[in-house]
Amino acid sequence: MPLRPMMTSENDNGTGSDPSILTKAKPRTQRPPLYKVLLLNDDYTPMEFVVHILERFFGMNHAQAFEIMLTVHKKGLAVVGVFSFEVAETKVAQVMDFARRHQHPLQCTMEKE
């Protein structure tokens, strides 16, 4: 089989580029949305219990936990962390379960940041 010379198109100008080949743009990956975990104030859950929750489930030291507890007490609620959906959902479930097992009406919720 004889070799044939490559044909160039008129708009190719001999550069070897083919205008029919398109480069694919990289898809832009978006960060997953984050969710705020909130503790809500009530008139029954002891302050010490809230501090314990913050230390145990949110890794706060005692001083940080005490400050957040006071914010919950004074303002009615406080953001205790910002997480991916799955982590936020797990934290809310852990806090609610722990509060119920200790017979406290503490409320913990999450909302999109």
Side-chain angles (χ1 to χ4, degrees):
M1 174 188 277
L3 295 176
R4 295 185 193 175
M6 287 184 47
M7 304 285 285
T8 59
S9 64
E10 290 178 16
N11 60 2
D12 189 13
N13 297 327
T15 61
S17 63
D18 184 349
S20 67
I21 297 176
L22 301 175
T23 57
K24 287 187 178 180
K26 277 189 180 177
R28 290 195 67 141
T29 55
Q30 293 182 343
R31 291 189 176 271
L34 295 176
Y35 290 79
K36 298 184 282 191
V37 174
L38 304 128
L39 278 184
L40 307 176
N41 189 41
D42 63 69
D43 294 332
Y44 304 101
T45 305
M47 292 178 177
E48 299 81 25
F49 186 77
V50 175
V51 169
H52 179 70
I53 289 275
L54 294 168
E55 291 171 344
R56 179 173 178 157
F57 296 107
F58 298 95
M60 296 182 188
N61 64 38
H62 190 75
Q64 292 169 321
F66 192 81
E67 284 298 314
I68 296 290
M69 177 276 297
L70 284 178
T71 302
V72 171
H73 181 70
K74 292 176 183 175
K75 295 190 176 185
L77 63 89
V79 175
V80 296
V82 179
F83 308 97
S84 68
F85 178 82
E86 292 80 9
V87 173
E89 186 177 50
T90 300
K91 298 264 186 204
V92 168
Q94 288 173 328
V95 169
M96 294 294 288
D97 181 57
F98 192 75
R100 295 302 159 266
R101 281 190 281 127
H102 289 85
Q103 300 177 345
H104 295 299
L106 182 66
Q107 292 293 307
C108 184
T109 63
M110 60 188 263
E111 65 182 39
K112 200 169 191 178
E113 189 175 44

